[in-house]
Amino acid sequence: MAAAAAAAAALTAPAAPAADDVTRTPGVVAAAAVLAAVAAAVAAAGDDDDAADAAADAAAIAFAVAADAADTDDHSNSDDGAAAGGAAAETMVTRPAAAAAAAAAAFKAADATSTATREAASAARAAAADATTIAAAAAVDAAAAVAAAVVPESEVRIADAAADIAASAVADAVAAIAAAAERVLSIETMLAQISVETRDAAGNMQRSAHAQMAAAKLAYEAAKLACEAAAVRKADAVARAAPAIAAKTDAAAKATAAAARARELDAAEWVAILAMNSAHSAAMAAHTEKVVKDAAANLAEAQWRSLHYVRQKLTFGCTRIPHVPGGAPWMMTAKDRLLSAGASPPAPSSRVWDNPSVATDLIAAAADKLAAERLDRLRGILGESGAASAVQLARQLAGVPDERRVEETPKRAAAEGTAVWAHRVWAALAGEVAASLGDSFTGCIGHGVRLFTHAQPRYPSIATFAHIEAGDPRDGNVVNARVKVEVKRNWEGLLAKGIAQAREYNNLTLLHMFAVHGADNMFSMDGKWSYSVASDGIYIFILRTSVELDPPKGDAFMRTRVSPPLPLWPADIMAAAYPSGCTTWPGVDEAAAAVASVDGIPAGLLALASLFAVDREFLGNRDVPLPKLAGFVTPTLDGSSGGTGTAIDPPLPPPSDWAIVGVGGFADVYRVAWNNTPCVVKAYRRPTTRMHSLWPEAAAYHKLAGVPGVPRVHGGSWSATGHLRALLLSPVGVMLHNALPGLSFLEQLAIAVHAAAAVLRVLVAARAGHGTPRRPPAQRDRAAGGHRGGKSSGGGGD
Amino acid sequence: MIVLPAAIAAAKAAAAAATSVEFAVLFDWGSAMLSHASRAEQAADVSTALALLRVTLPDTKPLYDNDDVCDAIVAELAGGESLVLDAAARAAVEARIVKLYASPACTAAGLLRHMEELAASLAPFLPDSL
């Protein structure tokens, strides 16, 4: 809109200066028009940014709304959520299109400006040319007038000369008459005084004088007549010369004026040309800017589409496994089947096999953490002699034929006649490696860590082990898991399923990254990668899955680099584990050899220690947006809109001091110490209505107060729109799923049965009169829709 | 979400003393609809409670039917757990599991009685480590 307005201003600008007499001449008008057009072009370019930003903001808002709808609805209606997600995707696609449209509008404005400027400059040049022609014609006219005036002026000059001569003759005649008269008088005087003879002579002289005087009078008369005739002729000549002289004067004046005008228009033409050049430059700049913006918009769209595709692939990578309550059997991909059949690894587009740099880069990054003393301790792991030590367990495992090795179940191991299983070896190894690293190792090793993201609420992944950033191994989750480990019972299982599962852990971590940061932010976010490990207790594969951008192509893609299989143990154990060898495909040994061992420490063991010790940033993005909550107040729960209760005392520590312990379908849970009491904060991500907030849950806690097993609510935080967004609860316990790994079946069953009994007890107590909250029909319908029990908010799914 | 108390040992002691074993229960399914639940909703509660037991089964067994779950639990007890349970204890636990899954109860109250019996028989096996 703004760009279009600027273009219109550019087109109408030439008319504006015409109101001023000073600038009414065509050249000046044209120059003013051009300058106005340039200004309009600059304004258009500036407005284009605003338009693009406005379009981007609108698209972002639309995306936020759609994403909000998708996320909010996913616990009430998955189809609606999917539809909303699709709408969000469509909305996001329009963002680069809006930018491109804005850029096109800017270019159109600049183009219109340039056209107007060119037209104005052409007009100026035409005017200058006309003026020059007029000046030349005036000069010719002036020359003709001068030529025409030459003859009359000559005649005037001749007549003037003749008049002068005639006048001179008259004067001479008058003088002659006077002289003759004086002579006659003197003669008469003399006659009176002289004799007769003399008188005769004098009489003759007197007659002669009279004759001379008469002749002089005649001459006078003649001269007088000649003088009068000359005067007449002069007057006539002057009269005849006057138009030519006037024409000459007029022509000269016109020629002078035309020349001045021509000079003026010539200058105006130069101004117009300069302005046209400026307008052209501005148009070219706008065009260049449009091209750049078009390219940027196209790039952004291509990147977004690519990232969307990557997200779909990540989702597919996490959902291709059918959901099974309590577990997840892994499907083999065609590639995995090929591998399990002993074939060479194919050349996949997104999985790079036998990539030694995955390990060498890791070892190099952790080199400063693995000082000589720690390397000695790491080497010492291989010399342990205790029966429960990792190396002795590994030796024991290697002694079991690989087809009879057991993955995780002690009773099955016992049935196979062995007291060792792959998980046991790995647990011992991980513990000893962690201990050898001293203070370079932080956190702990979790077993059976559920990697759960609200982006895929129905499909949690359970990592066999994980190095997590928490003091309690049961607190592992997708956010705090540094390295995820999948352990299989032998090489065949490792290739058939283990690597695929390890990659899935990375996929899920990246998917959660997409979920919490948003696809748009993935462009600029650093650390779009994740590390995992697949192992059979003998070999170790290191996997690095990353989302990578190819800026020139606007392409985004997912790539998993897999290290060659690296030995965890000395050569004798490796040989005993697989006497006939197993790393049979071409090039794998060379790739493995590229990962050098250090002073007797096998490459796999060194790489594992490096994974545990390396800086967290090396392992990928760890940012978790903290909830922005208003202050917590004592919940009134009396049906009012809330938020008006008394502030809890003491106040809650800031969110930066909270530790995330899980993410659920619509809420996140954080561990927080408050009033010397371990508590949790359960925060609804996007509350939209009372029923889509924590209100129903808080109401239930309120009604069930005093029922054994029901948490106590200490406070609540309300959103700006009046919805209950967060609850402060105690006591803090252990999530059921996190409590079970590592326990015997009987222990697990005992816990699960008691938990189920507790749930039933609460329900019975509530329906026996403790709780009487009523719910609206919509809530009843949703509950009847089959979602009951299928959701959880804190990393469950229980 | 089911949240267990940090000290299950205390719960175990309480169980040994034949008192109520308390588990912290944090849940969000149906949390606001505790009364006036329809029959279908109460049946869903029963299914949910039984589904909790599935989390103890090996991950590689996709079981959707309650009978299959019951059989799998019994099979597990007859396998490795036979090293821990004597025959009488195992038979008692198995009988209660079968009774639980065979129960026609479709309400929380109806199922609770069977679940309490099973919980009491399993109380000695609550781990000390938690």
Side-chain angles (χ1 to χ4, degrees):
Chain A
M1 293 284 288
L11 291 171
T12 57
D20 188 346
D21 289 338
V22 177
T23 58
R24 192 167 291 170
T25 59
V28 176
V29 169
V34 169
L35 292 174
V38 172
V42 173
D47 285 346
D48 177 54
D49 287 338
D50 295 340
D53 289 343
D57 289 343
I61 291 169
F63 168 64
V65 171
D68 186 42
D71 191 79
T72 303
D73 288 350
D74 67 355
H75 67 283
S76 59
N77 187 319
S78 58
D79 292 338
D80 289 348
E90 290 302 319
T91 303
M92 290 182 70
V93 169
T94 62
R95 176 176 177 169
F107 173 72
K108 187 176 178 182
D111 191 46
T113 300
S114 179
T115 301
T117 304
R118 279 197 300 272
E119 290 175 353
S122 297
R125 276 194 295 195
D130 291 346
T132 302
T133 303
I134 292 170
V140 171
D141 292 345
V146 169
V150 168
V151 174
E153 284 180 339
S154 297
E155 290 176 351
V156 170
R157 283 195 296 273
I158 292 170
D160 196 27
D164 289 343
I165 291 170
S168 175
V170 170
D172 289 345
V174 170
I177 291 171
E182 184 178 358
R183 188 178 175 186
V184 169
L185 181 60
S186 66
I187 290 171
E188 287 175 352
T189 303
M190 186 177 68
L191 285 178
Q193 295 173 353
I194 64 175
S195 61
V196 175
E197 294 84 14
T198 305
R199 194 175 291 174
D200 290 339
N204 293 335
M205 289 174 66
Q206 184 181 17
R207 284 188 296 273
S208 174
H210 280 292
Q212 288 179 348
M213 187 174 69
K217 286 183 178 178
L218 288 174
Y220 166 74
E221 288 299 332
K224 187 178 177 183
L225 290 174
C227 184
E228 289 175 354
V232 169
R233 283 197 301 273
K234 179 182 177 182
D236 184 53
V238 169
R240 281 188 283 108
I245 292 172
K248 173 187 172 185
T249 303
D250 185 50
K254 286 182 177 177
T256 302
R261 177 75 165 278
R263 285 194 298 274
E264 179 185 328
L265 291 180
D266 190 46
E269 182 186 11
W270 275 107
V271 171
I273 290 171
L274 291 175
M276 185 181 68
N277 288 340
S278 298
H280 180 69
S281 298
M284 288 302 296
H287 177 71
T288 303
E289 187 177 4
K290 173 186 178 296
V291 170
V292 170
K293 288 191 174 183
D294 282 349
N298 291 336
L299 180 66
E301 182 175 351
Q303 284 183 331
W304 187 89
R305 288 187 182 281
S306 297
L307 281 173
H308 184 65
Y309 178 67
V310 166
R311 182 163 59 179
Q312 285 181 324
K313 287 191 70 175
L314 289 171
T315 304
F316 176 76
C318 297
T319 57
R320 66 187 175 83
I321 301 151
H323 175 57
V324 176
W330 310 109
M331 292 174 63
M332 290 172 62
T333 64
K335 194 179 302 171
D336 293 332
R337 290 194 185 93
L338 281 174
L339 290 173
S340 66
S344 300
S349 59
S350 64
R351 199 184 310 185
V352 181
W353 289 89
D354 304 329
N355 187 312
S357 67
V358 175
T360 54
D361 291 350
L362 170 66
I363 292 171
D368 60 332
K369 302 290 180 64
L370 299 176
E373 181 187 359
R374 287 171 183 158
L375 288 176
D376 287 342
R377 288 204 293 264
L378 197 59
R379 197 176 296 109
I381 291 174
L382 305 176
E384 292 287 342
S385 57
S389 65
V391 67
Q392 296 306 327
L393 290 172
R395 200 178 299 279
Q396 199 176 345
L397 183 68
V400 178
D402 62 327
E403 69 275 10
R404 292 182 58 199
R405 288 175 198 155
V406 175
E407 186 174 308
E408 62 174 328
T409 310
K411 74 175 176 54
R412 289 181 182 169
E416 295 286 347
T418 176
V420 67
W421 52 94
H423 285 197
R424 186 181 181 194
V425 173
W426 222 93
L429 174 62
E432 291 178 17
V433 171
S436 74
L437 295 174
D439 58 6
S440 287
F441 180 86
T442 57
C444 63
I445 302 295
H447 186 194
V449 175
R450 293 178 74 84
L451 305 175
F452 182 84
T453 176
H454 54 82
Q456 285 295 96
R458 292 172 182 247
Y459 301 98
S461 294
I462 305 172
T464 311
F465 294 93
H467 177 194
I468 60 175
E469 299 170 318
D472 191 329
R474 294 166 300 190
D475 281 349
N477 59 65
V478 69
V479 173
N480 65 16
R482 287 167 51 106
V483 180
K484 290 73 66 180
V485 182
E486 178 58 35
V487 178
K488 291 301 179 187
R489 68 188 186 100
N490 58 19
W491 174 260
E492 185 178 346
L494 189 57
L495 289 186
K497 303 176 184 176
I499 291 176
Q501 285 177 247
R503 187 175 63 162
E504 180 186 304
Y505 303 153
N506 285 341
N507 287 355
L508 193 135
T509 302
L510 291 169
L511 191 60
H512 186 67
M513 222 178 276
F514 269 90
V516 298
H517 293 283
D520 272 4
N521 293 328
M522 291 294 282
F523 288 118
S524 57
M525 199 184 71
D526 195 14
K528 296 186 280 290
W529 60 79
S530 177
Y531 276 85
S532 63
V533 164
S535 176
D536 61 348
I538 304 296
Y539 282 104
I540 180 175
F541 285 93
I542 298 172
L543 287 82
R544 182 185 190 274
T545 303
S546 56
V547 175
E548 299 182 11
L549 302 179
D550 185 357
K553 295 181 180 176
D555 194 13
F557 54 91
M558 187 175 65
R559 173 173 289 166
T560 297
R561 294 181 174 85
V562 185
S563 75
L566 304 173
L568 283 168
W569 308 107
D572 60 325
I573 296 179
M574 302 303 296
Y578 297 106
S580 58
C582 54
T583 57
T584 54
W585 61 78
V588 64
D589 293 333
E590 291 80 356
V595 185
S597 59
V598 176
D599 295 336
I601 300 176
L605 183 58
L606 185 63
L608 180 62
S610 299
L611 273 176
F612 286 175
V614 74
D615 288 339
R616 177 63 180 83
E617 287 70 21
F618 183 86
L619 299 174
N621 185 278
R622 61 176 301 185
D623 297 335
V624 179
L626 292 168
K628 295 176 181 176
L629 301 174
F632 278 72
V633 299
T634 303
T636 55
L637 299 177
D638 57 357
S640 64
S641 61
T644 57
T646 307
I648 61 171
D649 185 30
L652 208 57
S656 56
D657 292 345
W658 303 357
I660 188 166
V661 294
V663 293
F666 53 82
D668 301 325
V669 178
Y670 304 84
R671 189 189 303 282
V672 57
W674 174 75
N675 198 22
N676 297 319
T677 304
C679 296
V680 295
V681 169
K682 183 175 183 180
Y684 206 104
R685 279 190 288 277
R686 295 184 185 90
T688 52
T689 64
R690 172 177 283 199
M691 299 314 295
H692 289 105
S693 72
L694 286 177
W695 173 268
E697 190 166 323
Y701 293 144
H702 181 67
K703 296 294 184 183
L704 293 173
V707 174
V710 175
R712 180 184 173 195
V713 179
H714 300 286
S717 177
W718 302 77
S719 70
T721 52
H723 300 124
L724 185 56
R725 173 141 189 236
L727 290 173
L728 176 64
L729 304 163
S730 72
V732 175
V734 180
M735 282 179 283
L736 177 60
H737 273 105
N738 288 349
L740 301 180
L743 301 178
S744 71
F745 174 74
L746 201 53
E747 291 173 322
Q748 292 185 23
L749 185 63
I751 290 178
V753 168
H754 279 83
V759 171
L760 292 171
R761 207 177 294 124
V762 170
L763 292 173
V764 170
R767 289 166 186 165
H770 260 285
T772 55
R774 295 175 182 274
R775 58 195 171 82
Q779 181 77 357
R780 188 190 303 274
D781 294 340
R782 184 175 71 85
H787 287 284
R788 296 161 66 87
K791 297 280 186 170
S792 73
S793 64
D798 307 338
Chain B
M1 178 174 63
I2 305 300
V3 178
L4 307 176
I8 287 186
K12 182 179 178 181
T19 58
S20 176
V21 181
E22 293 189 8
F23 280 71
V25 181
L26 181 65
F27 53 95
D28 38 41
W29 78 85
S31 55
M33 44 193 103
L34 299 174
S35 63
H36 306 289
S38 68
R39 298 287 291 178
E41 290 165 347
Q42 295 195 34
D45 291 338
V46 169
S47 297
T48 300
L50 289 175
L52 286 178
L53 307 190
R54 298 190 183 193
V55 301
T56 64
L57 295 172
D59 290 346
T60 52
K61 287 188 178 177
L63 301 173
Y64 294 96
D65 186 80
N66 276 342
D67 291 340
D68 292 340
V69 174
C70 179
D71 293 344
I73 292 175
V74 171
E76 286 288 335
L77 289 172
E81 302 306 337
S82 62
L83 302 175
V84 181
L85 288 171
D86 58 39
R90 189 175 73 247
V93 171
E94 287 177 359
R96 289 194 169 98
I97 288 172
V98 172
K99 190 177 178 182
L100 176 75
Y101 278 97
S103 169
C106 59
T107 63
L111 188 67
L112 179 60
R113 185 164 50 85
H114 301 298
M115 195 68 82
E116 294 275 26
E117 288 179 358
L118 180 60
S121 65
L122 290 172
F125 304 104
L126 285 169
D128 294 328
S129 58
L130 293 176

